[in-house]
Amino acid sequence: MLNMVSLHDGPPDLGCRQLGMERRRRSAQTASAIPGNQQRVAAMTASATVDVIIAVRNNAGTIERAVRSALAEPEVGRVIVIDDQSIDDTALVVQGLSSGQFAERIVLEQMPRNVGPAAARNRGVQLSDAAFVAILDGDDYFKPGRIRALLDRSDGADFVADDHLQVREGEPEDASSTTLLLGLEREIDLTFDTFVAGNISQSRQLRKEYGFLKPIIRRAFLDRYQLRYDEKLRLGEDFALYAKALAQGAIFRVIPSKTYIAIVRSGSISSNHTKLDLERLRDSDRELGQFASLTEKQRKLIRQHYESIDARVQWLNVIDAVKARDLKTFVSAFFIRRSTSSYLIGKLLEQLFVRFGRLLLVGGQTAKRR
């Protein structure tokens, strides 16, 4: 039977962790009763130190692959799926997986309303009782051996991540379009400065998207500093959590293995965000800047990150002003700060080139018809 956990009836965090430990004990007892399973179950329970949290919405076509990839890792105790008000068959697919040997390793919770990925992940963290939690998106998956590789480098670290293979939706892993998120050649320990600077947009430079990493996270560190995902955010919630952890002195290790497969989709949240999403991410930098341990150099980096996000907000304001024929709002966006003005001019030129190219293409096609 599937573990169905009520959002309203469950005990507080400590109680949830005790409940999870009891479920694992019963799982081992039940599975051990099946002939031939004793050795496999003993090995699994001895090494299961990670719970995988999947916050999912409308991923019926990919959730089975994600769940199975996590369950295949011997170090994974449970896969905790938080269904954030899907309107497709995501929950039914997960329920279908919860039979036989997976009965006690899958937890499914269906949220009563759409709360966003941050709140959904926090619920998953609350339900976990493992020493580490790992985040997996519902359309991504692990390659075999990923969790073992991360745990092997976890000594003295609070976060351990690896590079990502970014695979376009519908294409194989070895397609020519597949890229690496970072392209690491050696192991690194991220500092606060490196992390924030790598997420700032700069002309002629690709950002090091450290905020997209999906590490295993030491639960004791999260609890010690009372860190959770910022539930106001529906964009950049990973960046905000990692930055706060680094500000608190977290050791964030990144290894060059490439065992997290990130599916690149045009419909993902990170590629389809609203102005409000950007504004909330931008404003979260103000909270980050309040950490007393930060140096002036680090506060300057936060301001630069704030301004880089605000430039994207102002671009959306410019678009709205054009649609509304609001000249005052259009012009004022260019006078906020020099960096914003440069960004907006670049975006306008980019749009001009795109439109000019379309005109040339249409003109060429018309000439051929004649």
Side-chain angles (χ1 to χ4, degrees), residues 20 63 93 100 132 194 234 248-249 261 276 283 296 341 351 367:
I63 188 62
V93 173
F132 288 88
T194 301
R234 289 179 178 250
Q248 295 280 20
I261 307 302
L276 180 61
D283 294 343
E296 186 53 39
S341 179
Q351 290 300 309

Side-chain angles (χ1 to χ4, degrees), residues 207-222:
R207 290 189 296 169
K208 293 292 186 181
E209 298 281 9
Y210 297 122
F212 287 153
L213 292 172
K214 295 294 187 290
I216 59 171
I217 306 172
R218 195 178 294 275
R219 173 61 181 264
F221 184 89
L222 294 180

Side-chain angles (χ1 to χ4, degrees), residues 283-302:
D283 294 343
S284 71
D285 280 343
R286 292 173 176 165
E287 180 182 348
L288 179 59
Q290 298 302 312
F291 279 84
S293 60
L294 298 179
T295 66
E296 186 53 39
K297 177 186 175 183
Q298 291 169 335
R299 295 182 197 280
K300 182 178 179 180
L301 284 170
I302 295 170

Side-chain angles (χ1 to χ4, degrees), residues 10 29 37 55 65-66 80 85 90 103 119 148 191 206 231 246 257 279 310 315 324 335-336 341 352-353 366 370:
Q29 290 176 343
N37 271 7
R65 178 181 63 188
I80 301 172
Q85 274 285 292
T90 296
R148 180 72 267 161
T191 64
L206 292 176
E231 298 188 4
L246 287 164
S257 63
E279 288 172 338
D310 185 61
W315 172 242
F335 287 90
I336 293 175
S341 179
L352 286 174
F353 281 125
T366 302
R370 293 176 180 173

